Amino acid sequence: MKTKVTTLEAAEFMLNSGQFHTASSLGKALRLPAYKASGLLYNIRHANKYQIIETAKPNRQVKVIDIEGLAKRNNLWALALGHCNAAIQMRG
């Protein structure tokens, strides 16, 4: 990935990965120093547009589960286009 990564780009990466990330793991994945990844995680944790799950300190881990309703919109599109898995997830 490029060296200048925005908070939104980092959050999209995390959402698509579906995994929990620490500053270290996010930094490795995005090829950034851990201190920059830590700043991105801070921004993601404190911005209202991101829905996250986070663990407690020490070694806090963060998982992005939605960005401004993006996940729900994608599921609705999949449902409208007839993709079964999305329909099952929406009902569940």
Side-chain angles (χ1 to χ4, degrees):
M1 215 163 198
K2 60 186 179 179
T3 55
K4 176 68 175 161
V5 177
T6 66
T7 301
L8 178 59
E9 290 170 334
E12 287 174 342
F13 170 80
M14 293 173 68
L15 178 64
N16 291 332
S17 78
Q19 298 177 0
F20 280 88
H21 290 277
T22 63
S24 176
S25 69
L26 183 62
K28 286 179 185 174
L30 298 178
R31 297 182 187 163
L32 297 172
Y35 76 92
K36 288 191 178 188
S38 178
L40 293 169
L41 285 178
Y42 178 89
N43 292 343
I44 290 167
R45 288 178 45 242
H46 289 89
N48 291 332
K49 71 192 257 181
Y50 306 111
Q51 290 184 350
I52 62 162
I53 300 171
E54 63 182 312
T55 63
K57 285 184 175 180
N59 199 27
R60 174 176 283 137
Q61 297 182 19
V62 179
K63 179 178 182 178
V64 175
I65 57 173
D66 199 13
I67 302 171
E68 293 185 326
L70 178 65
K72 185 174 183 179
R73 279 195 306 270
N74 286 345
N75 282 342
L76 289 174
W77 272 109
L79 180 63
L81 295 173
H83 293 65
C84 302
N85 291 339
I88 292 168
Q89 290 175 353
M90 292 290 289
R91 291 183 192 143

